[in-house]
Amino acid sequence: GSDTAGVQNSKTLFRAAAARGQKALNEIEPLLSEARDKKLVLSLRTDIASWVTVFPELERLSDLGDAAGAWRLGSEKTLTLQNRAEATSREIAASVKSLNDAERTAAATEIAATTGFIWTIFALTAIAAAGVFAIVRSLNRDLRIVGHEMAVTANQLAHAATEVRAATQEMAKG
């Protein structure tokens, strides 16, 4: 129901955020003149590509109902990439300070968009994992209820069978 819709929405937001991050890098790269800065942008591109390649595995784990596995993979991969991308973004920000005022303003805006993208990816991974966890938990609760109801029904059938057997024996005697 709504949990599945939330997970689907998170997947859509993730893909849109990845596209925005690439777009931001495309816009900031021409503003950077130093080879070192361009190398940092390449590093961010690589990190985004790594995030994007991890996402199908997160989807697979989510679709299998393995909330813990999805959360673990998302946390391990996302946190490492996010920390590295933040450090790289800070390095780019330091380089941008040497640009003239007009270029600095435009670059800072793009860096803010990239940092926002990083946090968006992290948040979406956490939301997707939480959504999967909620779905699995809900299914487990429903299965426990069905199991309990089946056990009660089995006990009632056993009791009824005992009564039928006793009645049959009484009829045979009488």
Side-chain angles (χ1 to χ4, degrees), residues 55-126:
F55 194 71
E57 180 63 12
L58 288 172
E59 282 182 303
R60 186 185 71 75
L61 291 170
S62 295
D63 292 343
L64 290 174
D66 185 0
W71 178 258
R72 186 174 40 258
L73 177 65
S75 295
E76 289 170 1
K77 300 292 183 178
T78 302
L79 289 176
T80 301
L81 293 170
Q82 189 249 346
N83 289 336
R84 189 169 57 223
E86 270 189 4
T88 303
S89 293
R90 281 193 297 275
E91 286 183 60
I92 291 173
S95 293
V96 168
K97 288 182 181 180
S98 66
L99 298 173
N100 69 37
D101 289 343
E103 291 174 330
R104 186 179 305 139
T105 301
T109 301
E110 295 304 324
I111 289 170
T114 302
T115 302
F117 159 76
I118 291 165
W119 282 109
T120 300
I121 294 296
F122 181 68
L124 291 175
T125 301

Side-chain angles (χ1 to χ4, degrees), residues 152-168:
V152 168
T153 302
N155 285 337
Q156 290 173 347
L157 285 172
H159 181 68
T162 301
E163 288 182 12
V164 167
R165 190 183 80 224
T168 303

Side-chain angles (χ1 to χ4, degrees), residues 7 12 26-27 29 32 66-67 82 94 96 103 108-109 140 149 152 161:
V7 170
T12 301
N26 290 341
E27 291 173 1
E29 191 170 22
L32 303 172
D66 185 0
Q82 189 249 346
V96 168
E103 291 174 330
T109 301
N140 283 340
E149 289 174 359
V152 168

